[in-house]
Amino acid sequence: MHENKRPSSHYLLTKIFMVLAVVIPLVSLGITLINYRNNVQVKLDGFRQMLQTLDATYLYKLVHENERQLEVLGNTLDREALVRGGSAISSSWRAAHRIKMDEHFIYFYHLGSGRLESYPQWVPPLGFEPEQRPWYALLKEEGKQQGWVGPYTQYGSENRVLTLVRRIDASNGHPLGVLMADLPLDGVQQSLERALGSQVGSLYLTDTGRNRMIAAVHPEWLRGLTGDEIDCEETLSWLYHGVALTHRLSYVGWELGIYLPPHLFRQVLMEVLALVLLPALLLLLVVGLGLRSLLRIFQLEIGMVQERLCTLGERRGEHAHRDNWFVGKSLGTLEELEISYQEHKQALRIDALTGIFNRRAFDEDRFKLAQHNEPFSMVLIDVDHFKQINDNFGHQFGDMVLRRIGGVLERNLGFTHVYRIGGDEFAALLLSERSKIEEQLAQLQRETRAQRWREGECRVSLSMGVAMNGLGNCQQFERADEALYRSKAAGRNCWHFAE
């Protein structure tokens, strides 16, 4: 009776494991999505706080300084003198100018005489036409006394400014002219850049009333985006369109916003997957392997296992005790031996410093490719002036350079294709067409040159030689080596194909 119950219990356990194999991924996926949304919301809350802080600590003060400046100037104007054609500038202009600490101009334009007065003094150049300047339109707008104009380029310079403009009327309501205070946009741009820091995205300030961009950091992120994409707030859409957060400045009619691109949210998702979903999938993999072994033992479909066990345990005899525990232990021991063998074999092929394949692996792999009669391309790579790097910055820094170059090679050419075959000598065995190899080498050069080092004055580049369509013999190696030396003779930091 006992022997008859054991198979049925295995079937029951198998069914339970199969149900768990479905339930666990679904639960893990749900937990992953919840954690992903929570993590994203934390990031978004941080960006919202940044927008509010930038408003409260900088933009509010900036706007109100300009408004206060015009208020002081407007209150000190002698309108009767202006009607008679007198000057608008008085001793109060200097004090009003000090309200703002940055370099700027304040102006008064006399409508009647067409004269433009400024502090500090600015003499309009020949050809200056007030009617063509953006602020002149305020004189023609009915019922509007004050408003922001711009951004526009200052006449005769490349500086971008905003201008707060107030129309000055006589006692009879007729316009006398406009009073203006410039707001240079360089300071606004620098403040936005400091606020964004190294964060990926675009921080921008817009005039919603006139639908104009005032200032923006990384405006290229905003190009080609439709309104639906920018305003998208759905969880999954974050991964495709990104998110735009906005904060309205009610006291001026502007809007401060930040656009966060999709890959920022994909990065968050990958981090959550690594913490939640991947361990669950690894657990399922282990359970699946256990079920597979259990089913094979139960159904006696272990022909290969029996053959391997016979080679390991012939001393136990043909009538050795056979049960699940015995087979499990034997397979475990065999697996440990095989893993140990593979680890030792693999360790002999790995370069200890860079973590990529070594010269032994290079020779073995090109021999295997030659055995299959499969033509391939051989790339020989040298780090330019590596001896000087070692001499100038030390061998420890030189080792760091080699490790990072190994990583760059792995990312661009693939781990299974790159080798360190000497001190600062690397190689690659590629099966790609010439055009594809050229693209890979170009990207490899760009990423290598873009590396930033602890010693800022250090610059690292690569010289490379390529021999196409060979079978790994000495002639192909010599052709690649000749192409490499042609690259060095050409000034390094380039590659050549063997003729």
Side-chain angles (χ1 to χ4, degrees):
M1 293 295 292
H2 178 70
E3 292 297 327
N4 291 335
K5 288 181 180 180
R6 287 192 64 194
S8 62
S9 65
H10 288 310
Y11 277 115
L12 178 60
L13 287 174
T14 301
K15 293 177 181 179
I16 293 174
F17 284 136
M18 291 176 66
V19 172
L20 291 176
V22 176
V23 172
I24 291 177
L26 293 177
V27 173
S28 299
L29 180 60
I31 295 174
T32 299
L33 291 177
I34 293 173
N35 286 340
Y36 164 67
R37 186 173 183 85
N38 290 340
N39 288 355
V40 168
Q41 287 297 341
V42 170
K43 287 183 175 291
L44 295 182
D45 289 343
F47 285 115
R48 291 189 184 98
Q49 183 63 41
M50 181 187 75
L51 297 181
Q52 294 172 5
T53 302
L54 188 59
D55 173 16
T57 61
Y58 176 68
L59 293 175
Y60 179 84
K61 178 183 177 182
L62 190 70
V63 170
H64 281 271
E65 280 180 349
N66 280 267
E67 293 176 346
R68 181 181 166 210
Q69 193 174 44
L70 278 196
E71 186 70 24
V72 171
L73 292 171
N75 291 337
T76 60
L77 285 177
D78 186 347
R79 285 170 171 77
E80 296 299 328
L82 293 176
V83 170
R84 296 191 300 271
S87 174
I89 297 180
S90 65
S91 59
S92 61
W93 278 50
R94 183 173 185 177
H97 186 270
R98 291 179 178 176
I99 292 176
K100 296 192 307 184
M101 301 303 295
D102 56 356
E103 295 183 4
H104 67 284
F105 287 90
I106 49 181
Y107 308 90
F108 183 81
Y109 172 70
H110 295 258
L111 180 60
S113 64
R115 188 173 72 254
L116 182 67
E117 297 182 289
S118 67
Y119 184 89
Q121 185 177 7
W122 177 76
V123 179
L126 186 65
F128 178 80
E129 298 182 6
E131 296 82 359
Q132 303 299 321
R133 303 309 294 160
W135 42 262
Y136 190 85
L138 188 69
L139 289 169
K140 306 299 182 182
E141 295 187 29
E142 294 292 337
K144 187 171 183 179
Q145 290 296 121
Q146 180 170 304
W148 288 93
V149 175
Y152 63 93
T153 302
Q154 280 184 323
Y155 192 87
S157 74
E158 297 181 355
N159 298 328
R160 300 277 292 171
V161 296
L162 277 175
T163 301
L164 183 60
V165 183
R166 172 182 287 189
R167 190 171 72 183
I168 304 300
D169 295 334
S171 58
N172 60 6
H174 292 157
L176 296 173
V178 288
L179 187 62
M180 298 171 282
D182 277 350
L183 172 60
L185 289 181
D186 288 346
V188 177
Q189 182 72 23
Q190 292 171 7
S191 296
L192 295 183
E193 291 173 355
R194 285 194 298 268
L196 186 62
S198 61
Q199 297 286 348
V200 177
S202 177
L203 183 60
Y204 55 92
L205 181 65
T206 59
D207 186 336
T208 55
R210 293 177 296 134
N211 195 26
R212 298 193 66 178
M213 184 72 70
I214 296 175
V217 182
H218 303 312
E220 64 274 9
W221 286 111
L222 304 175
R223 293 172 188 160
L225 295 174
T226 67
D228 291 338
E229 290 173 331
I230 292 179
D231 294 335
C232 177
E233 289 289 345
E234 293 296 328
T235 303
L236 294 180
S237 296
W238 294 340
L239 300 173
Y240 301 100
H241 306 304
V243 168
L245 304 176
T246 58
H247 176 71
R248 188 172 297 275
L249 313 183
S250 58
Y251 50 87
V252 71
W254 295 349
E255 189 173 76
L256 184 62
I258 182 170
Y259 172 71
L260 307 173
H263 70 262
L264 176 66
F265 299 95
R266 294 171 189 159
Q267 180 181 353
V268 175
L269 180 59
M270 294 306 297
E271 292 172 356
V272 174
L273 285 174
L275 292 175
V276 179
L277 192 57
L278 291 183
L281 292 178
L282 182 60
L283 177 61
L284 284 176
L285 178 62
V286 174
V287 171
L289 291 175
L291 286 173
R292 181 170 177 266
S293 298
L294 180 63
L295 290 174
R296 282 190 173 186
I297 293 173
F298 181 74
Q299 297 171 2
L300 298 180
E301 295 177 353
I302 53 171
M304 183 181 66
V305 176
Q306 288 177 334
E307 180 179 351
R308 293 168 65 187
L309 284 174
C310 288
T311 60
L312 293 174
E314 292 179 351
R315 291 178 298 174
R316 295 184 177 272
E318 192 171 329
H319 302 287
H321 181 61
R322 296 175 181 175
D323 57 22
N324 291 343
W325 288 105
F326 173 78
V327 175
K329 290 181 179 180
S330 299
L331 290 176
T333 301
L334 181 59
E335 185 178 1
E336 290 176 0
L337 291 174
E338 289 179 342
I339 291 176
S340 178
Y341 169 75
Q342 293 295 336
E343 287 178 347
H344 283 84
K345 181 179 179 181
Q346 187 71 358
L348 294 176
R349 289 170 50 87
I350 295 295
D351 177 63
L353 177 63
T354 62
I356 62 176
F357 288 125
N358 57 17
R359 180 59 182 259
R360 175 175 181 166
F362 173 74
D363 293 334
E364 290 177 353
D365 290 352
R366 63 177 178 150
F367 178 73
K368 289 179 182 178
L369 290 171
Q371 278 188 322
H372 290 86
N373 199 29
E374 188 173 5
F376 60 93
S377 298
M378 181 184 299
V379 185
L380 297 183
I381 306 164
D382 273 6
V383 180
D384 294 333
H385 305 298
F386 183 73
K387 184 178 184 301
Q388 296 180 14
I389 293 175
N390 267 340
D391 293 341
N392 293 336
F393 304 107
H395 290 276
Q396 186 175 7
F397 180 79
D399 290 346
M400 183 181 70
V401 170
L402 295 177
R403 283 194 295 269
R404 196 181 294 184
I405 292 299
V408 172
L409 291 171
E410 179 181 342
R411 287 192 297 275
N412 287 276
L413 304 181
F415 174 77
T416 58
H417 299 293
V418 296
Y419 311 82
R420 181 188 177 207
I421 60 175
D424 63 326
E425 301 171 353
F426 296 83
L429 302 178
L430 305 176
L431 302 177
S432 308
E433 298 292 335
R434 175 168 179 152
S435 59
K436 177 64 176 178
I437 293 175
E438 290 177 342
E439 292 178 7
Q440 290 175 306
L441 297 185
Q443 177 60 29
L444 176 62
Q445 288 282 41
R446 285 193 294 270
E447 185 171 344
T448 300
R449 290 192 293 263
Q451 296 294 310
R452 294 295 178 266
W453 307 93
R454 180 186 63 201
E455 281 70 11
E457 66 271 26
C458 179
R459 294 293 182 268
V460 178
S461 60
L462 303 177
S463 297
M464 294 175 280
V466 187
M468 300 285 294
N469 301 323
L471 293 175
N473 51 27
C474 293
Q475 289 80 4
Q476 185 182 17
F477 190 95
E478 292 172 357
R479 288 170 54 224
D481 197 48
E482 290 174 359
L484 171 62
Y485 277 94
R486 285 172 55 202
S487 297
K488 292 183 177 181
R492 307 178 187 269
N493 193 23
C494 61
W495 72 84
H496 284 81
F497 284 80
E499 298 176 351

